[in-house]
Amino acid sequence: MIASPRDAGSGAGTTDGIDGIDGIDGIAVRLAPAGTSPYALLGALGAGRVTRRPGAAPAAEHGHVSVSRTDGLVAVALSSRPVGIDVERVRPLPDLEQVVRDHLGAADAAAVRGADDPVGAFYDVWTRLEALLKAEGVGILDGLDPAPAVRERWRITPLDAGPDHRAALAHPADRSAAGPGT
């Protein structure tokens, strides 16, 4: 499966595919059933040899890569520039308010609390933040409330991962940006 940018009103599942995301050249994204090797997916996209690095993003011979796994899906992204991807299965969160209070910044928390579907909104926010942090080269342990300057470096594109999942892709906001310090 190849992911497409999510049409917020359609409720549609993943499509047969695109290689450029929302008009951005040089980005390929694939979603596949859980159990599919993300490294095989990346290889099929032309990443070349992909090296796993504990505690860090995988390194590819040809391009920048990002990998995410969740119950039911695996997601990969390959780009000519830094990229981050996240996918999560939407499931009930009985302790949603505690999770929001403990992990989200004020603006993101307000977006979740004010949504018609707070659980869905939480996963929208979470996948966007995690994709951004992966693109930035840091993990969620560094905090889920990136500074405005960090947020401005990245464009976040929600992806259609079907009704049971949320997914997002982070890529540089402008063609000259390539990550921290650039």
PDB file of all heavy atoms in Angstrom, residues 24 90 93 108 154:
ATOM      1  N   ILE A  24       5.158  17.296  -3.187  1.00  0.00           N
ATOM      2  CA  ILE A  24       6.544  17.382  -2.763  1.00  0.00           C
ATOM      3  C   ILE A  24       7.319  16.252  -3.440  1.00  0.00           C
ATOM      4  O   ILE A  24       7.066  15.075  -3.188  1.00  0.00           O
ATOM      5  CB  ILE A  24       6.683  17.248  -1.225  1.00  0.00           C
ATOM      6  CG1 ILE A  24       5.810  18.253  -0.508  1.00  0.00           C
ATOM      7  CG2 ILE A  24       8.140  17.345  -0.808  1.00  0.00           C
ATOM      8  CD1 ILE A  24       6.202  19.686  -0.719  1.00  0.00           C
ATOM      9  N   VAL A  90      -5.646   3.603  16.519  1.00  0.00           N
ATOM     10  CA  VAL A  90      -6.549   4.344  17.398  1.00  0.00           C
ATOM     11  C   VAL A  90      -7.236   3.334  18.311  1.00  0.00           C
ATOM     12  O   VAL A  90      -7.865   2.395  17.836  1.00  0.00           O
ATOM     13  CB  VAL A  90      -7.597   5.141  16.585  1.00  0.00           C
ATOM     14  CG1 VAL A  90      -8.576   5.829  17.519  1.00  0.00           C
ATOM     15  CG2 VAL A  90      -6.902   6.148  15.686  1.00  0.00           C
ATOM     16  N   LEU A  93      -8.660   5.331  25.155  1.00  0.00           N
ATOM     17  CA  LEU A  93      -7.706   5.791  26.166  1.00  0.00           C
ATOM     18  C   LEU A  93      -8.490   6.217  27.407  1.00  0.00           C
ATOM     19  O   LEU A  93      -8.875   7.382  27.545  1.00  0.00           O
ATOM     20  CB  LEU A  93      -6.891   6.970  25.637  1.00  0.00           C
ATOM     21  CG  LEU A  93      -5.876   6.660  24.550  1.00  0.00           C
ATOM     22  CD1 LEU A  93      -5.320   7.941  23.947  1.00  0.00           C
ATOM     23  CD2 LEU A  93      -4.750   5.818  25.115  1.00  0.00           C
ATOM     24  N   ASP A 108      -1.447  21.973  21.987  1.00  0.00           N
ATOM     25  CA  ASP A 108      -1.857  20.648  21.546  1.00  0.00           C
ATOM     26  C   ASP A 108      -2.916  20.067  22.485  1.00  0.00           C
ATOM     27  O   ASP A 108      -3.880  19.437  22.037  1.00  0.00           O
ATOM     28  CB  ASP A 108      -0.655  19.711  21.449  1.00  0.00           C
ATOM     29  CG  ASP A 108       0.289  20.096  20.321  1.00  0.00           C
ATOM     30  OD1 ASP A 108      -0.192  20.522  19.250  1.00  0.00           O
ATOM     31  OD2 ASP A 108       1.511  19.967  20.507  1.00  0.00           O
ATOM     32  N   TRP A 154       9.453  22.355   9.909  1.00  0.00           N
ATOM     33  CA  TRP A 154       8.864  21.146   9.346  1.00  0.00           C
ATOM     34  C   TRP A 154       7.429  21.367   8.897  1.00  0.00           C
ATOM     35  O   TRP A 154       6.659  22.044   9.554  1.00  0.00           O
ATOM     36  CB  TRP A 154       8.917  20.010  10.369  1.00  0.00           C
ATOM     37  CG  TRP A 154      10.309  19.760  10.811  1.00  0.00           C
ATOM     38  CD1 TRP A 154      10.892  20.199  11.959  1.00  0.00           C
ATOM     39  CD2 TRP A 154      11.315  19.076  10.080  1.00  0.00           C
ATOM     40  NE1 TRP A 154      12.211  19.822  11.988  1.00  0.00           N
ATOM     41  CE2 TRP A 154      12.499  19.121  10.847  1.00  0.00           C
ATOM     42  CE3 TRP A 154      11.344  18.414   8.852  1.00  0.00           C
ATOM     43  CZ2 TRP A 154      13.685  18.534  10.422  1.00  0.00           C
ATOM     44  CZ3 TRP A 154      12.528  17.832   8.437  1.00  0.00           C
ATOM     45  CH2 TRP A 154      13.679  17.901   9.225  1.00  0.00           C
TER      46      TRP A 154
END
